[in-house]
C-alpha cells in the first residue's frame, strides 16, 4: 500500500487523540460502568467535547465532518486502547439513532435532535426490533395512526440499546399495510405520556450498555417528528445497513486485535514447565493463526470501507466484511481466554469481557445467516 | 492579549529514555516524540485566556524537524499559528543556550505574555521560564496554579510547598504553569483538520539573529562528562504491623518528605 489513506498525518493525530481520551476517560472507569450496567451522561459530554461523537457527521448537523474512514479510525483506536464493544455500542448509539434524521436534511429535526446529541446533551436510541420481529424488519407491528397534526403510536419494542437512558427513540413504525412501503420513521420523546421502559434487560455481555424493552400506549407524537416521507422508513433503515455492518466488523476485528495483544503479552510473561508459554510451538502457531484472522478481516473490511467512502454501494461486501470479522473475532477471543488459562475465566481479566461481548456481534445488526442470505442473493440471484 | 506558548517535544513519557553514546545527548530518534505533558496545560491556559479575552495564541517550538508533529497538536487544540525554530546548529543546546535561542525567537513574535510548563519530562531542569524572564526583562511569574489577566497585568497563584502566594506583575510577563491549573482539552477531528491550514513559520539561526557559536553542544555552558545506567531496583523496605504499622508508615513517608 503506497498511498495509504489510513495513516495520513491527520489520521495519525486523530488516533493519538482518541487513544489519549480512551486511556484517561474510559479505561479507568470501565469496570465500574460494567457493574453499573450503563455509562454516565458525563461520558457523552466529555466525548462530545473531544469531538468524538461527531466524526463523520456533517458540520451543518453539528458534526465534525470527515468520512466513514475517520469514523473507523475512532472505533478501531478506542478498541485497541482498551475500550470495549459494549462501551462503543453505548456511547455511539447515535450512530444508529440519528443518521436517517441527518440524511433527511430536516432542519427542525436536526436542530432539535441531531445537534444536541452530537453535543453530548441528548441520548438517542433506534428501535426496530419487536418481540415478534427481529431479522424480518418488514414484520414489525408497532402502529402509528395519523390524527390531524400528530400520530398516535401503539406497540412494543425490545432489545433496544441505550433506551433506558434515552431522551428520544427513533422508532420504526407501521403506517400502512404494505410490508415495506407501510413502514415509517418517527422520533419519539421518551418523556411523552404513554411511553415507558418496561424492563432493563440483563445480558451475557455488553454489560455497560443498557438494553431496554419499551411499551408505546397511545403515545402522541407530533407529525413534525416524521423522518422523511411517510412510507419511506424501510428504505431509510436499509440505506444505513452497509455502514452499520461495517461498524460491527470494526467491533469484531477491533476487540480481536485487543484480545490478541493481551494474549501475546500474557504468554510472554507466563511460565509453564520452566519456560514462557510463548516459547511453545503450539502456542506460537495459535498466536499466528489469531494474527492472520485479525489481519485478513481488517484488510478486507478497510478495503470495502474505502470503496464505500468513494461512493460505491456495496451491500453484499459489507455483509461479508461483517461475517468475516465476526468469525475471526469468535475464534480469537475463544483462544485468548484459553491461553490465559484459569485467569482467562475471571471477571478481572480483560479478555473475559471481550469473550462475552463478542457473542452479540453475529446476532445484532443482521444475523450471520441473514447476511449470508443477502450475499447469496447478490451472488446467485 | 497576545500569547506565546513555548512547547517542547520530548521522548514519550513512558518510554525508557537513553543518552546517545556519541555525543551524550538525549536520543530523540529511537523513541516516539510527544508533547511535553506540562506544555499541554500551558496551551490550554493560553486558549482559555484567549477565549475569555481575545488575542492570538502562537506556539513557539525549538526542536528538530520531527517536532512539527507536536506543533500540529498544539495547533489542533486551537492555537492560531506557530513558529518553529529548527536548525542543526541547535543540537545539544543546554538550558542556558536554549533560553538564549528562545529569547531571540521571541523577539520575532509580538506578544504580551509567554506561557510555559514548569518543566519538561526529559531534562527536568525547571529553569527555562526563569532564564527567559531574565534574558527578556519580562516579569517572572512561575509555578502558577491559577492565572488571571487584567488590563496590562497578570496575577497568579504561585504554588508553594505549604499553599500559594499571590503574585502580580505588569505585562510583558513570563508565566510557568503547574498541572493543577486546568484540564487540557483533546484535539478534535475538526481541530486536527483545521491545523493543517494554520500558518507555521520556520526560523533558522540566521532568521532569528542567533549567533551560532552561542548555541548547540559547543556553545553550551554545561556538558555531560560521563553517564552510567540507572542502578537496578533495590529491594523495598518491609514495614511489619505490630500495632504501630500506621505510625511507622507515616514516619517513612515523612522521612522521604512525602508528607
Ligand atoms: C445486546 C443487543 C442489543 C440490541 N440493540 C438493538 C437496538 O438498539 N435496536 C434494535 O432495533 N434492535 C436491537 N437488537 C436486536 C437485534 O437487532 C436482533 O436481535 C436481531 O436483529 C435478530 O433478531 P431476533 O432477535 O428477533 O432473532 P430472529 O429474527 O428471531 O432470528 C433468530 C435466529 O434465527 C436465525 N435466522 C434468522 N433469520 C434467518 C434466515 N433468514 N435464515 C436462516 N437463519 C435465520 C439466526 O441465527 C438468528 O439469530 C439488539 C439485540 C441485542 C442482543
Amino acid at each position: 500500500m503506497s498511498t495509504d489513506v489510513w495513516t495520513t498525518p491527520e489520521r495519525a493525530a486523530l488516533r493519538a487523540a482518541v487513544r489519549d481520551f480512551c486511556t484517561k476517560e474510559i479505561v479507568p472507569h470501565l469496570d465500574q460502568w460494567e457493574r453499573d450496567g450503563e455509562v454516565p451522561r458525563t461520558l457523552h459530554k466529555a466525548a462530545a467535547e473531544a469531538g468524538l461523537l461527531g466524526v463523520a457527521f456533517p458540520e451543518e448537523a453539528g458534526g465534525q465532518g470527515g468520512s466513514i474512514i475517520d469514523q473507523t479510525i475512532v472505533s478501531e483506536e478506542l478498541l485497541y486502547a482498551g475500550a470495549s464493544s459494549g462501551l462503543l455500542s453505548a456511547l455511539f448509539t447515535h450512530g444508529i439513532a440519528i443518521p436517517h434524521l441527518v440524511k433527511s436534511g430536516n432542519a427542525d429535526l436536526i436542530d432539535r435532535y441531531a445537534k444536541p446529541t452530537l453535543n453530548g446533551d441528548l441520548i438517542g436510541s433506534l428501535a426496530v426490533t419487536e418481540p415478534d420481529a427481529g431479522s424480518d424488519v418488514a414484520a414489525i407491528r408497532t402502529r402509528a395512526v395519523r390524527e390531524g397534526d400528530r400520530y398516535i403510536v401503539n406497540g412494543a419494542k425490545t432489545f433496544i440499546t441505550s433506551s433506558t437512558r434515552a431522551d428520544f427513540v427513533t422508532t420504526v413504525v407501521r403506517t400502512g399495510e404494505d410490508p415495506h412501503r407501510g413502514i415509517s420513521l418517527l422520533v419519539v420523546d421518551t418523556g411523552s405520556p404513554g411511553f415507558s421502559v418496561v424492563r432493563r434487560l440483563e445480558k451475557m455481555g455488553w454489560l455497560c450498555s443498557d438494553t431496554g424493552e419499551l411499551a408505546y400506549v397511545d403515545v402522541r407524537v407530533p407529525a413534525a417528528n416524521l423522518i422523511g416521507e411517510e412510507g419511506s422508513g424501510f428504505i431509510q433503515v436499509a440505506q444505513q445497513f452497509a455502514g452499520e455492518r461495517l461498524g460491527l466488523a470494526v467491533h469484531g476485528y477491533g476487540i480481536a486485535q485487543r484480545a490478541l495483544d493481551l494474549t501475546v503479552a500474557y504468554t510472554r510473561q507466563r511460565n509453564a514447565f520452566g519456560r514462557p508459554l510463548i516459547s511453545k510451538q503450539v502456542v506460537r502457531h495459535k498466536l499466528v493463526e489469531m494474527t492472520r484472522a485479525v489481519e485478513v478481516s481488517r484488510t478486507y473490511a478497510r478495503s470495502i470501507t474505502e470503496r464505500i467512502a468513494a461512493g460505491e454501494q456495496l451491500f453484499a461486501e459489507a455483509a461479508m466484511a461483517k461475517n468475516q470479522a465476526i468469525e475471526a473475532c469468535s475464534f480469537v477471543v475463544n483462544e485468548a481466554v484459553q491461553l490465559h488459562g484459569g485467569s482467562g475465566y475471571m471477571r478481572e481479566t480483560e479478555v473475559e469481557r471481550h469473550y462475552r461481548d463478542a457473542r452479540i456481534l453475529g446476532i445484532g445488526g443482521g444475523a450471520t445467516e441473514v447476511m449470508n442470505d443477502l450475499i447469496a442473493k447478490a451472488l446467485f440471484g | 492579549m497576545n500569547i506565546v506558548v513555548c512547547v517542547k517535544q520530548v521522548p514519550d513519557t513512558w518510554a525508557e529514555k537513553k543518552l546517545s553514546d556519541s555525543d551524550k545527548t538525549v536520543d530523540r530518534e529511537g523513541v516516539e516524540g510527544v508533547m511535553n505533558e506540562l506544555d499541554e496545560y500551558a496551551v490550554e491556559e493560553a486558549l482559555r485566556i484567549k477565549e475569555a479575552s481575545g488575542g492570538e495564541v502562537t506556539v513557539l517550538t525549538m526542536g528538530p524537524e520531527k517536532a512539527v508533529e507536536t506543533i500540529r497538536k498544539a495547533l489542533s487544540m486551537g492555537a492560531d499559528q506557530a513558529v518553529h525554530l529548527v536548525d542543526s546548529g541547535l543540537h545539544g543546546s543546554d538550558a542556558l543556550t536554549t533560553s538564549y535561542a528562545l529569547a531571540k525567537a521571541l523577539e520575532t513574535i509580538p506578544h504580551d505574555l509567554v506561557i510555559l510548563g514548569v518543566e519538561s519530562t526529559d531534562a527536568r531542569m525547571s529553569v527555562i521560564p526563569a532564564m527567559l524572564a531574565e534574558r527578556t526583562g519580562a516579569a517572572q511569574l512561575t509555578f502558577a496554579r491559577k492565572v488571571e489577566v487584567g488590563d496590562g497585568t497578570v496575577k497568579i497563584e504561585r504554588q508553594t510547598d505549604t499553599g500559594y502566594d499571590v503574585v502580580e506583575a505588569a505585562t510583558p510577563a513570563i508565566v510557568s504553569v503547574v498541572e493543577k491549573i486546568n484540564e487540557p482539552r483533546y484535539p478534535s477531528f475538526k481541530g486536527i483538520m483545521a491545523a493543517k491550514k494554520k500558518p507555521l513559520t520556520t526560523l533558522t539561526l540566521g532568521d532569528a539573529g542567533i549567533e551560532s557559536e552561542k548555541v548547540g553542544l559547543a556553545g553550551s555552558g554545561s556538558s555531560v562528562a560521563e553517564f552510567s545506567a540507572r542502578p537496578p531496583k533495590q529491594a523495598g523496605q518491609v514495614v511489619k504491623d505490630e500495632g504501630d504499622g500506621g505510625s511507622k508508615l507515616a514516619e517513612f513517608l515523612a522521612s522521604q518528605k512525602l508528607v
Side-chain angles (χ1 to χ4, degrees):
Chain A
M1 244 191 262
S2 52
T3 54
D4 188 347
V5 300
W6 299 89
T7 53
T8 61
E10 292 74 35
R11 288 185 171 133
L14 178 62
R15 254 184 216 290
V18 170
R19 174 165 289 263
D20 198 22
F21 181 87
C22 187
T23 308
K24 290 181 190 151
E25 314 289 339
I26 294 176
V27 171
H29 311 291
L30 191 48
D31 286 342
Q32 185 58 45
W33 297 336
E34 290 273 296
R35 286 191 288 272
D36 294 345
E38 60 182 49
V39 299
R41 277 180 184 261
T42 48
L43 176 66
H44 289 257
K45 197 66 199 167
E49 275 165 12
L52 295 184
L53 300 188
V55 172
F57 283 96
E59 293 191 35
E60 310 83 75
Q64 293 272 323
S67 73
I68 185 173
I69 296 177
D70 303 296
Q71 173 54 49
T72 302
I73 284 178
V74 171
S75 302
E76 279 185 359
E77 201 57 30
L78 284 171
L79 293 170
Y80 298 166
S84 66
S85 172
L87 185 285
L88 263 62
S89 84
L91 181 58
F92 292 92
T93 316
H94 67 280
I96 57 174
I98 64 167
H100 336 82
L101 187 157
V102 170
K103 190 152 185 272
S104 77
N106 182 323
D108 167 49
L109 290 178
I110 287 172
D111 282 346
R112 284 193 288 134
Y113 296 103
K115 287 182 182 172
T117 301
L118 297 176
N119 246 340
D121 292 326
L122 290 185
I123 293 175
S125 290
L126 172 70
V128 185
T129 309
E130 300 184 354
D132 303 323
S135 305
D136 185 4
V137 176
I140 62 130
R141 294 193 306 194
T142 295
R143 186 166 289 276
V145 178
R146 179 92 187 226
E147 269 183 22
D149 59 358
R150 60 168 72 98
Y151 286 93
I152 312 293
V153 182
N154 280 285
K157 296 285 179 183
T158 193
F159 308 150
I160 307 307
T161 297
S162 294
S163 62
T164 75
R165 299 179 301 137
D167 301 293
F168 66 93
V169 177
T170 301
T171 306
V172 180
V173 294
R174 180 156 294 293
T175 45
E177 299 316 314
D178 185 277
H180 300 95
R181 273 167 297 166
I183 288 179
S184 302
L185 278 178
L186 268 186
V187 187
V188 179
D189 290 318
T190 54
S192 311
F195 175 93
S196 63
V197 178
V198 183
R199 279 200 299 157
R200 175 191 281 261
L201 299 162
E202 292 185 8
K203 305 189 294 303
M204 172 193 290
W206 273 17
L207 297 186
C208 68
S209 169
D210 62 296
T211 310
E213 188 177 313
L214 311 176
Y216 300 71
V217 180
D218 291 332
V219 184
R220 290 151 175 265
V221 180
N225 281 16
L226 179 72
I227 306 174
E229 301 277 300
E230 191 176 289
S232 68
F234 191 87
I235 302 168
Q236 290 192 65
V237 171
Q239 278 172 340
Q240 299 301 327
F241 277 156
E244 186 185 344
R245 286 164 189 162
L246 281 171
L248 288 170
V250 181
H251 282 225
Y253 70 74
I255 60 175
Q257 178 70 62
R258 174 71 179 175
L260 171 62
D261 292 345
L262 293 167
T263 306
V264 170
Y266 184 80
T267 53
R268 253 189 223 295
Q269 56 92 19
R270 176 76 182 174
N271 286 305
F273 304 99
R275 302 198 49 202
L277 277 177
I278 201 166
S279 66
K280 318 232 177 266
Q281 191 180 38
V282 169
V283 173
R284 298 168 74 77
H285 282 197
K286 192 64 80 185
L287 292 170
V288 168
E289 286 170 6
M290 291 159 77
T291 307
R292 172 164 54 87
V294 176
E295 289 287 346
V296 169
S297 306
R298 175 171 39 224
T299 304
Y300 183 69
R302 281 182 173 187
S303 78
I304 301 308
T305 301
E306 283 179 43
R307 290 172 60 190
I308 286 182
E312 286 187 65
Q313 293 228 332
L314 301 169
F315 288 98
E317 289 80 355
M320 268 198 275
K322 177 176 190 272
N323 279 3
Q324 166 64 31
I326 276 133
E327 183 182 275
C329 182
S330 324
F331 164 68
V332 171
V333 295
N334 185 48
E335 296 300 342
V337 168
Q338 184 70 22
L339 288 171
H340 274 74
S343 68
Y345 199 67
M346 299 296 136
R347 268 293 147 96
E348 65 202 45
T349 306
E350 191 183 323
V351 292
E352 187 263 357
R353 173 184 305 147
H354 297 310
Y355 177 85
R356 286 181 291 101
D357 277 7
R359 195 61 190 86
I360 176 62
L361 300 178
I363 298 172
T368 302
E369 296 86 341
V370 175
M371 295 298 94
N372 280 340
D373 260 357
L374 190 138
I375 299 161
K377 213 182 272 171
L379 290 177
F380 319 124
Chain B
M1 190 160 282
N2 291 320
I3 306 172
V4 175
V5 191
C6 295
V7 169
K8 183 180 184 185
Q9 185 176 59
V10 296
D12 188 352
T13 324
W14 305 108
E16 196 173 337
K17 284 156 216 136
K18 292 199 183 81
L19 296 183
S20 81
D21 291 322
S22 54
D23 64 4
K24 304 190 179 76
T25 61
V26 179
D27 179 2
R28 297 180 192 278
E29 290 308 312
V31 280
E32 207 182 325
V34 298
M35 185 188 296
N36 177 47
E37 199 180 331
L38 276 158
D39 299 348
E40 293 188 20
Y41 297 82
V43 173
E44 177 65 35
E45 198 56 27
L47 294 175
R48 289 187 188 192
I49 294 171
K50 172 194 148 150
E51 282 158 6
S53 50
E56 288 207 322
V57 175
T58 306
V59 176
L60 169 60
T61 294
M62 164 175 149
E65 294 290 346
K66 80 177 221 187
V68 77
E69 298 156 17
T70 293
I71 294 175
R72 290 267 179 236
K73 178 168 178 181
L75 291 173
S76 64
M77 287 172 78
D80 299 290
Q81 64 223 1
V83 174
H84 186 186
L85 179 57
V86 50
D87 196 302
S88 54
L90 290 162
H91 174 79
S93 294
D94 65 0
L96 207 59
T97 47
T98 298
S99 67
Y100 162 64
L102 286 177
K104 294 300 282 182
L106 276 175
E107 286 176 15
T108 71
I109 316 166
H111 63 273
D112 308 291
L113 196 62
V114 179
I115 306 185
L116 310 82
V118 288
E119 66 174 14
S120 57
T121 53
D122 54 351
R124 310 203 59 179
M125 297 273 291
S126 205
V127 293
I128 294 286
M131 287 178 168
L132 263 188
E134 205 56 37
R135 288 192 185 273
T136 59
Q140 183 190 144
L141 303 170
T142 50
F143 294 92
R145 57 169 225 182
K146 187 173 176 201
V147 178
E148 273 174 65
V149 298
D151 192 15
T153 61
V154 188
K155 186 156 87 176
I156 68 156
E157 286 182 13
R158 183 179 203 273
Q159 180 79 39
T160 68
D161 281 349
T162 48
Y164 65 92
D165 300 327
V166 176
V167 190
E168 190 170 357
T171 56
I174 306 244
V175 174
S176 74
V177 300
V178 298
E179 64 180 19
K180 247 192 211 126
I181 195 162
N182 57 40
E183 284 273 344
R185 67 195 66 187
Y186 299 92
S188 69
F189 178 75
K190 237 196 255 182
I192 290 167
M193 298 312 285
K196 276 206 302 196
K197 301 186 195 96
K198 291 181 175 171
L200 195 166
T201 313
T202 53
L203 294 181
T204 60
L205 294 184
D207 297 335
I210 295 168
E211 296 172 48
S212 59
E213 61 283 3
K214 287 196 185 166
V215 293
L217 262 184
S220 288
S222 61
S223 64
V224 178
E226 58 179 315
F227 64 91
S228 56
R230 175 175 54 188
K233 251 197 186 147
Q234 303 291 311
Q237 181 187 333
V238 178
V239 175
K240 200 161 171 225
D241 184 17
E242 288 159 341
D244 58 351
S247 48
K248 277 186 182 160
L249 280 178
E251 261 169 45
F252 170 79
L253 292 173
S255 74
Q256 302 293 312
K257 294 208 161 56
L258 291 168
V259 290

